[in-house]
Amino acid sequence: MSDAIEYELKGDIAILRANNPPVNALGHAVRSGLIAGLERAESEAKAALIVGGGRTFFAGADIKEFGKPFKEPGLPSVCTRIERCSLPVISAIHGTALGGGLEVALGTHYRIAVSSAKVGLPEVLLGLLPGAGGTQRLPRLIAVERAIEIITTGRQVGAAEALELGIIDEIGEGDIEEIGVAYAQRILAEGKGPRPVGNMPRPTPVDFDAIHQAALTKGRGQIAQATAVRAVEHACNNDIDAGIKLERDMFMALLKSPQSQGMIHAFFNERAVSKLPELKGVEPRDVKAIGVIGGGTMGAGITVAALLAGLDVTMVERDSSAAQAGADRVSGFLQGSVKRGKLTADKYDAIMANGFRASDSYDALSNADLVIEAAFEEMGVKKTIFAKLDRVCKKGAVLASNTSYLDVNEIAASTSRPADVLGLHFFSPAHVMKLLEIVVAADTAPDVVATGFALGKIMRKIAVRSGVCDGFIGNRILKTYRTCADHMVLDGASPFEIDTAMTAFGFAMGPFEVADLAGLDIGWATRKRLAPTRDARERVATYADKMCEAGHFGQKTGQGYYIYEKGKRGGTPDANVTALIEAERRELGITPRAFSQDEIQRRYMCAMVNEAAKVVDEGFARRPLDVDMVLLFGYGFPRHWGGPLKWADLQGLDGILVDIQSYAKEDDFFWQPAQLLERLVAAGKTFDDLNKGDTV
Ligand code: 3H9
């Protein structure tokens, strides 16, 4: 028998205990261990109990095996074998029974769980659908609409809800194996036998066409959810074996799709991105109390994220009324968390009484372990603040700037302790957005970098290392694809067409909608800042400056690219913007041409990929996956493409290079092909090869 399933006979009960840390993924050894265990149980026991050793029941199929040749026994046949066992089979669930894990449990005849356990079918979050009977058994066990909802959202269902729905039969408290054995004994004592879910009546059909269409619309280009709806439909029209076969075909088709490859890339790399080889063995400094300079939206957001992570926060503002306004903002955000049920009222009171204070004096920071400056984006302002921090902060305190593009080396140089300085670039709203760029300056000490990553972990952020360049990883790439969008506008596309094309690609919002949300004054200020050093060959759209001169700063002024009416969601295209664009085209002598949705998407993505390749080649991002995670978690890049460089790999790098070279015939200043892209194409390699340690 395989070590991955430990077998123990306890009286009449055969215990099959998973031993495949960390999450008991259902790899080949586990699957064959389950089959062998059942066979042995049938010869010597009266019931079988399946339980997870360690911290959890099975967390699903082993995702690392996907893409490799499948080895028998496959998970669907394991679940069927369990279901057809001549003895009653019981699963005892703790931790998380997810995906194939829940499918194993659905194959068993009885299910008990501890109250902290969670169950779910999160396959759609990997671009897949449950492929071991989940779409056939769950709707036989619970109401079909509820099964569809659980399968298409991939959400984790708590034990209490699972009991109410009928996914599990009982909740017990205490040691999971003891609970499971006691439950199995009770089942034997009551004379109960196997109760196969597959033999339960087929679910009653619902309006599958409407549900399928709704899933397609909601998926914004993602296909897994809608495909899963069709798989559940098969449960209504087929016996269990035929349904499982159909489900299997659909699962295999999705597994080969670029979307699941993108999402699996995202799954592994959101975990890999913060594990830097250079930090192996480097101990982070202790961080319990932090300071935040600035009580604006950003400072308050950072404060809230830190407070929710259990840190003590002192906020400093320039005077007492600004400190009060900052404190009010923090309290408002936290009350929002209470309203949404994310924070209890008691916890809110405790935080406001003990964990947080706002002050107008830098002296309040003398005990802070780490300070994050989130003040106005102006080098002079930053230098003054860092000089003050240098005076008041204790030795060894980490001094961080939340700047989004300024030179962190220059900021560090304004202190007597540049080794303690780094950039911690949060994204607004900082208590919501997952991305944190850890900006490592020339003199930043390794343990300060490690402290940045440790803080990211405590605050549940996706922390990505960036070198110091204008805009760091994300905003530098953003600037390039935004410029590409501006060029398309000059040449004939409307901002609204571009937004439509990019939301169809999968972005939650198009670039012009995002600009309206962020405020158009930011881009205006950046253009003014960069104007003196701008290359004469650069094409710059100036209609946006005219919008700003007329006070169109986006959503906050009710007018940007779109007009926003109070009480209405979203905006409507502003005809004045179209007029300004047309005037500029006339001035420049441009005859506008039509852009198809495909061309808009292709040019936009090529600009993003080309700049991202330069950022990697220049070393500001260490690996392509760093760029991918920045765009996924900070810029709304669709997860089902895995990130821009994974998208590029999936499209084929040679085609992308050919397109960039053809665009360069129109504008060889903007479209300079990245040398890394050229080298990868020449070597027949992908960005993902670089993630795995390859070089070109
Ligand atoms: C499926 O089941 C398909 C079937 O329907 C049909 C098949 C035919 N496989 O997240 P953590 C690794 S699809 C391989 O940091 P946590 C993970 O990479 C699957 N590895 O811990 C990490 O490795 P490392 C459906 C896996 O406590 C380590 O375990 N199931 C798998 O924060 C610890 O993970 C899912 O989609 C796996 N299935 O969260 C569940 N899962 O240390 C996916 C984890 O090298 N997993 N690893 O970085 C999760 O959601 C979370 O990992 C879980 C634990 C909630 C379980």
Side-chain angles (χ1 to χ4, degrees), residues 20-27 31 55-66 70 74-76 95-103 120-126 128-134 154 156 247-248 251-252 255 264 267-272 275:
N20 189 25
V23 295
N24 287 322
L26 286 147
R31 299 196 303 271
R55 62 167 149 134
T56 183
F57 197 72
F58 311 100
D62 187 342
I63 305 167
K64 292 195 184 90
E65 285 184 358
F66 290 170
F70 266 110
L75 199 53
T96 43
L98 299 177
L102 178 56
E103 290 175 301
L121 293 170
E123 285 86 345
V124 293
L125 307 178
L126 298 170
L128 300 168
L129 52 73
Q156 295 184 11
E247 177 200 74
R248 180 76 180 161
F251 174 84
M252 292 309 288
L255 189 59
I264 290 171
F267 176 84
F268 282 119
N269 290 319
E270 68 188 325
R271 288 165 174 77
K275 291 177 190 151

Side-chain angles (χ1 to χ4, degrees), residues 2 47 49 133 180 182 260 262 334 373 416 436 475 532 539 543 576 624 656:
S2 101
L49 172 71
S260 85
L334 284 173
E373 164 276 314
S416 64
L436 171 61
N475 281 346
R539 294 179 76 198
Y543 73 91
N576 291 324
I656 287 177

Side-chain angles (χ1 to χ4, degrees), residues 324-403:
Q324 187 55 51
D328 291 346
R329 221 164 265 132
V330 168
S331 149
F333 285 167
L334 284 173
Q335 278 167 357
S337 298
V338 174
K339 261 193 215 133
R340 285 191 304 277
K342 302 244 177 233
L343 184 71
T344 63
D346 285 354
K347 191 95 197 286
Y348 168 84
D349 290 342
I351 287 175
M352 291 309 279
N354 306 315
F356 171 68
R357 65 214 63 81
S359 166
D360 60 358
S361 164
Y362 277 68
D363 292 336
L365 299 174
S366 57
N367 280 323
D369 302 310
L370 180 146
V371 180
I372 303 166
E373 164 276 314
F376 192 64
E377 279 289 86
E378 218 266 307
M379 185 54 90
V381 173
K382 308 269 184 202
K383 283 186 172 172
T384 310
I385 291 172
F386 273 77
K388 282 190 198 163
L389 290 177
D390 198 14
R391 271 199 302 279
V392 299
C393 288
K394 68 183 182 190
K395 193 167 169 281
V398 172
L399 309 182
S401 173
N402 178 56
T403 179

Side-chain angles (χ1 to χ4, degrees), residues 107-283:
T108 65
H109 307 125
Y110 302 92
R111 289 160 288 280
I112 187 166
V114 287
S115 59
S116 58
K118 290 193 170 128
V119 303
L121 293 170
E123 285 86 345
V124 293
L125 307 178
L126 298 170
L128 300 168
L129 52 73
T135 64
Q136 306 303 300
R137 291 195 177 94
L138 191 62
R140 280 177 161 83
L141 195 60
I142 68 171
V144 65
E145 295 91 342
R146 301 310 306 272
I148 293 173
E149 185 268 325
I150 287 170
I151 292 169
T152 54
T153 58
R155 75 182 172 94
Q156 295 184 11
V157 179
E161 188 187 350
L163 179 67
E164 197 186 311
L165 288 169
I167 301 175
I168 59 170
D169 302 296
E170 284 208 22
I171 293 182
E173 282 317 332
D175 176 76
I176 189 64
E177 200 167 300
E178 284 171 19
I179 295 168
V181 169
Y183 185 47
Q185 283 165 343
R186 194 146 42 90
I187 280 168
L188 286 182
E190 289 168 7
K192 290 180 180 162
R195 188 188 56 171
V197 176
N199 290 356
M200 292 179 183
R202 291 178 196 174
T204 315
V206 287
D207 187 350
F208 280 104
D209 288 345
I211 300 173
H212 178 260
Q213 187 51 49
L216 272 185
T217 310
K218 201 165 166 217
R220 281 204 302 263
Q222 236 183 294
I223 53 172
Q225 287 84 345
T227 314
V229 172
R230 291 295 185 211
V232 174
E233 187 176 5
H234 288 316
C236 303
N237 304 324
N238 292 278
D239 66 29
I240 188 75
D241 289 339
I244 285 178
K245 199 180 164 312
L246 289 164
E247 177 200 74
R248 180 76 180 161
D249 293 344
M250 295 168 111
F251 174 84
M252 292 309 288
L254 285 179
L255 189 59
K256 287 192 197 110
S257 72
Q259 296 198 356
S260 85
Q261 292 176 45
M263 292 186 96
I264 290 171
H265 174 83
F267 176 84
F268 282 119
N269 290 319
E270 68 188 325
R271 288 165 174 77
V273 72
S274 309
K275 291 177 190 151
L276 297 191
E278 73 198 53
L279 295 183
K280 235 185 175 158
V282 180
E283 274 299 308

